[in-house]
Amino acid sequence: MFDSRHIKTFHTVVTAGSYSAAAAALGYTQPAVTQQMKALERSVGTALFVRVGRRMRLTEAGEALARHAETILDSMSVAWEQIGAVTRLETGRVRLCAFPSANATLIPEALALLAAEHPGIRVELLGDEPPESLERVTRGECDITLAFTYPGLHEAVPDDLVEIPLLEDQLMVLMPTGHRLARSRSVRLRDLADERWIAGCMRCRVNFLHECAELGFAPDIAFATDDNLVVQSLVAEGLGVAMMPGLVLSFMRLDRVTGRPLDPVSRRRVAAYVPRDHLRIPAAALVLDALRTVAERRSGC
């Protein structure tokens, strides 16, 4: 392995023609240059210079290194410049994975904040539901993942991940606008026991079945889909009702669908998960800050 300082000194010796001239150019003493060249020769395992009379000449190994020294130094200069740009937050790349309703709401708002202040940072978006999204961050497929869990579902967070709570997302019931309970300020799950239901993703479905069981009934699930827009369309056509997170209402596009909060209130917890070491990466820290800001704006939703 080469020491970059030794390569720079070697290149100066070659271009200046002697140890003394290199020392003058670099502001070193001649013994310091001599010691660096001896250290470099120990690193490469062979002599780089030989004396011919009062002059020094490059050995074959020295000539080989001389051909590459300038390229090595230029590459290192470019590398340091790129690293500096990252640490100055002029550039950077973050791979962000989130579940669909977060990708449609929290993520665009957070990235708009980020782009306004740090346009050089690029974010690659991935989509997945938990627990798969947590597995992706532990496998290194993404840098940050957003996931959710429910009070009755206990899930251990891998030791190498840091959990950053973002918000509590209130659960709602979606129903056709002409439904008998559509004008109510809130609805009780028990009052919908005889309805046909449209279930969402597997984790939401498990929680839904758990809450129904707590109230003593088994829901009639007529349809099941991971697509939130499909759920809305099915509800709009009067094919059933659905228990959905409040974030979904933020991008509800069908005027034939009404959302009402559950009574008593039921929520899911949304958090960001990131490998501990990634907290020291400037671009990742900025993305997390933007997510926190957006989540605070939505607190209580």
Side-chain angles (χ1 to χ4, degrees):
M1 296 292 293
F2 297 139
D3 185 314
S4 60
R5 297 170 301 170
H6 297 168
I7 295 295
K8 181 178 180 181
T9 301
F10 171 80
H11 180 64
T12 305
V13 170
V14 173
T15 55
S18 68
Y19 284 3
S20 57
L26 295 170
Y28 295 163
T29 64
Q30 183 171 329
V33 172
T34 301
Q35 290 302 317
Q36 286 195 37
M37 292 303 91
K38 288 181 177 179
L40 182 58
E41 288 177 333
R42 287 195 297 270
S43 296
V44 299
T46 188
L48 298 173
F49 300 96
V50 292
R51 283 199 172 276
V52 179
R54 300 182 64 181
R55 303 184 60 179
M56 288 193 312
R57 181 172 61 82
L58 288 168
T59 63
E60 185 177 356
E63 289 176 351
L65 182 57
R67 287 194 295 270
H68 296 284
E70 188 168 357
T71 301
I72 292 171
L73 292 171
D74 287 345
S75 296
M76 290 182 62
S77 177
V78 171
W80 281 116
E81 179 57 35
Q82 291 177 352
I83 292 170
V86 170
T87 56
R88 291 192 303 270
L89 302 177
E90 296 172 358
T91 187
R93 178 179 70 104
V94 178
R95 298 165 301 166
L96 177 61
C97 181
F99 50 94
S101 56
N103 264 335
T105 54
L106 297 176
I107 301 304
E109 292 179 34
L111 297 190
L113 285 178
L114 188 68
E117 295 292 331
H118 304 281
I121 293 177
R122 295 289 180 259
V123 179
E124 295 180 8
L125 294 181
L126 304 171
D128 224 332
E129 301 275 3
E132 288 80 7
S133 56
L134 285 169
E135 293 172 0
R136 294 188 76 165
V137 74
T138 56
R139 291 196 302 263
E141 296 176 9
C142 59
D143 304 304
I144 301 170
T145 194
L146 265 63
F148 61 86
T149 189
Y150 291 96
L153 303 177
H154 301 289
E155 181 175 47
V157 178
D159 292 338
D160 57 341
L161 295 184
V162 176
E163 180 183 61
I164 301 171
L166 293 177
L167 58 82
E168 298 286 321
D169 189 15
Q170 184 170 341
L171 299 184
M172 317 286 287
V173 173
L174 301 189
M175 60 189 78
T177 52
H179 192 276
R180 58 187 173 85
L181 297 178
R183 294 182 178 274
S184 303
R185 296 186 63 180
S186 60
V187 295
R188 296 185 302 174
L189 200 57
R190 184 182 291 107
D191 293 339
L192 297 164
D194 295 331
E195 298 280 345
R196 291 204 310 171
W197 288 87
I198 301 156
C201 73
M202 181 59 68
R203 177 164 291 201
C204 294
R205 202 175 314 161
V206 169
N207 176 71
F208 171 57
L209 291 171
H210 172 76
E211 293 205 20
C212 292
E214 289 286 301
L215 295 173
F217 74 94
D220 175 16
I221 298 178
F223 305 96
T225 175
D226 292 348
D227 192 320
N228 293 319
L229 292 177
V230 172
V231 172
Q232 293 180 38
S233 297
L234 292 171
V235 172
E237 295 298 332
L239 296 172
V241 297
M243 187 169 83
M244 301 291 287
L247 283 177
V248 173
L249 269 66
S250 301
F251 59 92
M252 199 158 63
R253 295 293 181 264
L254 299 174
D255 56 9
R256 292 178 292 160
V257 176
T258 298
R260 291 292 179 262
L262 281 172
D263 178 22
V265 171
S266 182
R267 301 179 187 273
R268 68 175 180 175
R269 185 165 53 88
V270 177
Y273 298 86
V274 58
R276 192 172 304 277
D277 288 346
H278 283 45
L279 294 174
R280 297 186 288 115
I281 299 175
L286 281 176
V287 171
L288 290 170
D289 286 343
L291 288 169
R292 288 191 194 94
T293 299
V294 169
E296 288 173 3
R297 294 176 181 175
R298 290 175 167 269
S299 60
C301 70

